[in-house]
């Protein structure tokens, strides 16, 4: 707290980030600072002040840290050549959000911080999973409604709340794995310019799906959980509106959706207006796209990234608009006010 207080005065976050990421705390943790730039639609550089007060779920956290023991094996199995050593003591925690303030007041499910490439290389990054938000019944109910509106009836029950939780968890861990510098040794942000975020987020999405399969093959997760994570991976790619290119998340989700469709993992039944999933193609199609993304990151050429996104973000009225309309009709409220009992709200 002393380091962070000094950071705020000096506008240099290094000492606070270093002690936050590498420190060991009791059952409380706090995210304090100006980290996320989501609200700066103009340049994506201006961060908003935020504070989250977090209570750790000790049991779930211990279970997670055990699962991370096999993380090097997953890195070594990734479809690219320049494997690296990864630390297996990633500071990850499952938390109940007690209260949050400023930019953090929302329904953010998980964070990996700090974002600064230099600090993350020096000290690592801490992963905060917000369990009471990820598994909130009202939020999951929204997701389930749009899922059921889009997929064929027999797939309705494939989506379960734990699917989102584990997919998100391995998405965050995915940021630790794979390519982190291009072939010239540059940071990906510098090399890939405006495409860096979309590629990095897509890598982590796919890495999560790839890792879950590896954990399943290893006997660490059962068939039911594999299925719900896979369903969550598909739900993630469904769009309720055509994304703009300045929306990295939605853009890379649409690219995944189109890739899945063209490679036979997804199929759209025009007659019934329903989406069908061919689960037997899942791992192949995901791995192929992951290999492509890792290759683009390693090459570090923004032109190649632009070509890729141009190729894979097509939007058709007969398909994408039909799905988007169904989601908009089913999804319910898109914004919500979050209140905390601890604050007497
Ligand atoms: Zn991410």
């Amino acid at each position: 707290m002393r380091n962070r207080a000094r950071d705020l005065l000096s506008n240099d976050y290094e000492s606070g980030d270093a002690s936050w990421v590498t420190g060991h705390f009791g059952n409380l943790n706090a995210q304090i600072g100006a980290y996320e730039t989501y609200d700066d639609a103009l340049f994506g550089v201006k961060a908003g002040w935020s504070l989250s007060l977090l209570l750790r779920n000790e049991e779930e956290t211990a279970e997670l840290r055990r699962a991370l023991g096999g993380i090097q094996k997953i890195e070594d199995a990734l479809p690219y050549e320049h494997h690296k050593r990864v630390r297996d003591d990633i500071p990850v925690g499952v938390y109940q959000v007690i209260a949050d303030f400023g930019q953090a007041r929302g329904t953010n499910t998980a964070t990996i911080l700090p974002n600064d490439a230099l600090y993350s290389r020096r000290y690592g990054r801490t992963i905060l999973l917000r369990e009471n938000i990820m598994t909130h019944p009202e939020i999951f109910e929204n997701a389930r409604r749009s899922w059921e509106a889009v997929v064929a009836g027999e797939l309705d029950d494939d989506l379960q709340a734990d699917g989102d939780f584990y997919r998100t968890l391995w998405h965050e861990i995915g940021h630790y794995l794979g390519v982190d510098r291009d072939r010239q040794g540059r940071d990906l942000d510098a090399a890939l310019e405006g495409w860096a975020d979309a590629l990095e987020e897509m890598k982590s999405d796919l890495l999560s799906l790839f890792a879950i399969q590896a954990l399943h093959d290893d006997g660490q997760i059962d068939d039911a959980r594999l299925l719900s994570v896979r369903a969550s991976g598909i739900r993630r790619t469904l769009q309720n509106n055509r994304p703009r290119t300045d929306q990295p998340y939605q853009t890379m989700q649409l690219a995944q959706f189109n890739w899945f469709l063209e490679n036979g993992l997804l199929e759209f039944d025009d007659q019934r207006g329903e989406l069908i999933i061919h689960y037997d193609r899942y791992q192949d199609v995901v791995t192929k796209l992951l290999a492509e993304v890792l290759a683009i990151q390693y090459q570090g050429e923004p032109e190649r990234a632009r070509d890729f996104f141009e190729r894979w973000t097509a939007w058709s009225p007969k398909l994408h608009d039909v799905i988007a309309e169904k989601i908009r009709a089913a999804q319910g409220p898109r914004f919500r006010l979050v209140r905390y009992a601890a604050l007497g709200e």
Side-chain angles (χ1 to χ4, degrees):
M1 293 296 283
R2 210 158 47 230
N3 283 342
R4 174 83 331 155
R6 197 167 44 223
D7 295 347
L8 298 181
L9 291 173
S10 62
N11 196 27
D12 174 348
Y13 276 60
E14 184 162 6
S15 69
D17 277 347
S19 23
W20 184 44
V21 170
T22 58
H24 292 271
F25 306 101
N27 62 344
L28 284 177
N29 201 344
Q31 174 195 315
I32 306 168
Y35 283 114
E36 304 293 1
T37 56
Y38 301 129
D39 295 328
D40 178 3
L42 209 49
F43 291 116
V45 293
K46 203 170 183 177
W49 293 107
S50 69
L51 191 155
S52 290
L53 184 61
L54 306 156
L55 174 68
R56 194 165 58 213
N57 179 333
E58 301 291 350
E59 211 172 297
E60 294 249 15
T61 299
E63 191 194 314
L64 266 181
R65 293 196 175 163
R66 269 197 301 279
L68 290 182
I71 197 175
Q72 185 67 46
K73 227 166 99 186
I74 295 174
E75 163 70 27
D76 294 343
L78 292 178
Y80 79 123
E81 277 168 16
H82 311 274
H83 295 290
K84 58 186 184 191
R85 293 291 318 161
V86 283
R87 44 187 297 189
D88 56 9
D89 59 339
I90 296 173
V92 55
V94 181
Y95 296 95
Q96 304 286 327
V97 186
I98 300 171
D100 51 25
F101 304 88
Q103 188 274 335
R105 178 66 74 101
T107 51
N108 192 6
T109 51
T111 38
I112 176 164
L113 291 172
N115 291 323
D116 188 292
L118 178 65
Y119 299 167
S120 13
R121 215 160 21 244
R122 281 184 181 157
Y123 311 108
R125 304 175 87 184
T126 189
I127 299 176
L128 311 159
L129 297 156
R130 294 160 158 83
E131 188 181 26
N132 54 340
I133 295 181
M134 281 200 239
T135 58
H136 196 285
E138 229 175 84
I139 297 174
F140 176 67
E141 183 54 28
N142 259 26
R144 203 192 50 80
R145 271 205 309 272
S146 39
W147 172 256
E148 286 184 1
V150 171
V151 300
E154 65 269 22
L155 305 174
D156 282 357
D157 293 336
D158 293 0
L159 189 72
Q160 301 291 334
D162 73 329
D164 270 354
F165 180 81
Y166 286 94
R167 189 187 55 74
T168 307
L169 164 68
W170 283 94
H171 171 103
E172 300 302 337
I173 292 166
H175 284 302
Y176 267 95
L177 306 179
V179 177
D180 56 8
R181 292 176 189 242
D182 77 346
R183 64 195 160 129
Q184 297 178 50
R186 296 176 299 176
D187 280 345
L188 297 180
D189 271 349
L192 292 161
E193 300 167 8
W195 301 105
D197 285 351
L199 282 166
E200 178 63 20
E201 293 306 330
M202 180 151 60
K203 176 201 80 177
S204 280
D205 265 14
L206 296 162
L207 221 149
S208 171
L209 302 172
F210 181 90
I212 286 290
Q213 175 74 50
L215 293 169
H216 178 264
D217 294 349
D218 217 34
Q220 293 191 46
I221 63 161
D222 61 16
D223 294 352
R225 184 162 292 167
L226 176 67
L227 181 65
S228 63
V229 170
R230 285 179 155 184
S232 167
I234 300 297
R235 191 196 67 79
R236 164 95 158 155
T237 68
L238 305 175
Q239 301 302 308
N240 61 0
N241 265 308
R242 184 177 192 169
R244 302 185 310 262
T245 42
D246 64 340
Q247 297 180 297
Y249 286 93
Q250 290 87 341
T251 297
M252 65 89 187
Q253 288 159 5
L254 175 60
Q256 288 183 68
F257 177 83
N258 287 344
W259 178 283
F260 292 169
L261 206 62
E262 203 166 308
N263 286 278
L265 167 55
L266 297 177
E267 186 191 332
F268 189 64
D269 182 335
D270 289 325
Q271 302 299 316
R272 295 158 67 194
E274 287 174 345
L275 203 61
I276 299 159
I277 304 170
H278 297 290
Y279 285 109
D280 57 319
R281 304 272 307 126
Y282 211 107
Q283 187 68 353
D284 257 15
V285 172
V286 161
T287 307
K288 220 172 99 190
L289 181 52
L290 179 57
E292 178 79 14
V293 172
L294 291 169
I296 297 172
Q297 286 186 311
Y298 186 67
Q299 253 193 0
E301 288 165 14
E303 301 74 25
R304 187 172 166 198
R306 187 201 55 217
D307 292 348
F308 173 87
F309 282 108
E310 267 173 22
R311 162 75 179 84
W312 290 103
T313 51
W315 183 273
S316 110
K318 280 188 186 144
L319 170 67
H320 301 85
D321 272 332
V322 172
I323 292 175
E325 268 167 40
K326 282 174 187 249
I327 296 174
R328 288 199 300 271
Q331 70 188 357
R334 289 174 56 196
F335 301 97
R336 39 173 52 86
L337 276 172
V338 180
R339 297 190 189 88
Y340 290 100
L343 300 176
E345 293 171 341

